[in-house]
Amino acid sequence: MAGLFISFEGGDGAGKSTQLALLAAWLREQGREVVTTREPGGTDLGRSVRELLLHGDDVDERTEALLYAADRAHHVTTLVRPALARGAVVLTDRYLDSSVAYQGGGRGLTAERVEELNLWAVDGLLPRLTVLLDLDPTQLPARLTGAPDRLERAGAEFHHRTRQAFLERAAAHPERFVVLDAARPVEEIAAEVRERVAALDDAEGAR
Ligand code: TYD
């Protein structure tokens, strides 16, 4: 069976990890091998990069973009591609669209440049499906728990730009994205995600 690569995207606190876990459980019930991972920090090296990015000193926006891209390049080479090659489903909590939205839109490096940098970093690997959990950032404070990290402290304007960048990207790539309102009940969202994944599997089987 061919591997299947799916990413979950959205603002902080949109419920990505909950939805990812629900989809993983459903796919495993059907006998699929599922690898769940995340960015930044899906590998040992990545966990060090994650610590620097989220809890380290402030860095300028280019350095930040390159660190996320470096984490991603290593993640894809050592974990994602090998898993896909043996036929697994890989579910990642964030992927390259996060960089386009946060570093491109949020930090203002522009979507085009950040996309180019990251496509180079991953040698062109894109998910078959990207689930964007869209959440109005004004609802954010109620949903976040724990002390805010460096990105969460970036401010309301930053998070609005990030959300816009995600939505623009989804509109530009309708064949890859499904956009779901993150304020809806968890189980309702999960059911729609399952439907989209099942449709993918059917389409692939018919080829
Ligand atoms: P994550 O662990 O997904 O945080 P959360 O669970 O709060 O959504 O991601 C950590 C932070 O890193 C998050 O604020 C988004 C940011 N980020 C980027 O700015 N660029 C990227 O390429 C990625 C993957 C994450």
Side-chain angles (χ1 to χ4, degrees), residues 25-44:
W26 181 73
L27 287 164
R28 283 183 183 124
E29 275 168 23
Q30 307 183 28
R32 297 289 303 248
E33 181 197 348
V34 181
V35 174
T36 62
T37 185
R38 71 167 174 183
E39 292 188 354
T43 60
D44 280 343

Side-chain angles (χ1 to χ4, degrees), residues 11-13 16 38-40 50 54 68 72 93-94 98-99 102-103 149 151-152:
D12 305 280
K16 296 182 303 302
R38 71 167 174 183
E39 292 188 354
R50 180 184 176 90
L54 299 187
Y68 279 112
R72 181 163 299 124
D93 188 335
R94 298 192 182 280
S98 274
S99 276
Y102 282 80
Q103 280 64 54
D149 64 39
L151 274 287
E152 285 165 0

Side-chain angles (χ1 to χ4, degrees), residues 167-189:
L167 290 173
E168 279 166 26
R169 200 152 168 77
H173 300 279
E175 71 297 342
R176 173 160 70 88
F177 274 86
V178 52
V179 183
L180 300 173
D181 177 359
R184 287 168 57 196
V186 169
E187 194 36 58
E188 238 180 81
I189 297 174

Side-chain angles (χ1 to χ4, degrees), residues 118-130:
N118 278 278
L119 282 174
W120 178 79
V122 301
D123 199 13
L125 180 71
L126 285 172
R128 182 74 174 76
L129 179 74
T130 296

